[in-house]
Amino acid sequence: MRFASKEWLAAVVEALNRQPALPQALQGLGRDGGIVVGRDGAAWPRDVAAYGLHEGGRLVGCRVLPDPDDLLELEPAYVFRAPYGVWRAVMLGEDPVRAALSGRVRVEGDLEALVRRVEYRRVVDAALAAVPTEFP
């Protein structure tokens, strides 16, 4: 599935919801979040954003937004922003914590709460590994 497409996002959400530790990973975090995949040359010519929220330890209402500026109106608790090339590198194994600490991934929201849950990164890693991803 093509990275950041509606189909890919639905598959990632389904894979995340199958992770037994997801409820614990989400506990105490803000109710919603967004991701922006920033334009990055010819490989990724425009910004793409996705939004989702969680309820009862499951992700619900996740969708690709028609306009990344829609995140401003939704005001999610967390927003992660990076150019396509950085997201691709993270998906292919680069340490996302290192990418965030270096400023290559911009994090908006309660960073301390995320750092406290760094052990739950395996939940996301396992879900992403379960979804076949094609990069442009």
Side-chain angles (χ1 to χ4, degrees):
M1 280 175 258
R2 184 176 164 87
F3 172 70
S5 66
K6 291 177 184 178
E7 297 77 18
W8 181 85
L9 179 62
V12 169
V13 167
E14 183 179 317
L16 280 164
N17 282 334
R18 285 194 307 264
Q19 298 298 313
L22 184 64
Q24 293 87 357
L26 294 172
Q27 193 172 23
L29 291 178
R31 186 170 182 265
D32 57 356
I35 293 177
V36 177
V37 180
R39 74 185 120 225
D40 199 354
W44 201 261
R46 66 180 186 86
D47 293 346
V48 173
Y51 170 82
L53 56 107
H54 68 89
E55 248 173 39
R58 295 181 54 79
L59 297 175
V60 297
C62 299
R63 64 189 191 271
V64 174
L65 298 173
D67 182 346
D69 287 341
D70 291 347
L71 279 175
L72 298 172
E73 294 173 23
L74 294 167
E75 297 181 355
Y78 296 94
V79 178
F80 303 89
R81 298 176 188 274
Y84 162 76
V86 174
W87 287 122
R88 186 175 191 272
V90 167
M91 293 284 302
L92 294 174
E94 182 178 328
D95 184 354
V97 175
R98 182 170 287 151
L101 292 175
S102 71
R104 294 175 59 227
V105 173
R106 287 191 3 237
V107 179
E108 301 165 20
D110 184 359
L111 189 56
E112 185 179 323
L114 292 173
V115 170
R116 285 193 309 266
R117 283 167 185 77
V118 74
E119 78 231 38
Y120 290 110
R121 182 177 133 198
R122 63 183 161 70
V123 171
V124 176
D125 290 344
L128 291 173
V131 177
T133 302
E134 297 171 11
F135 296 100

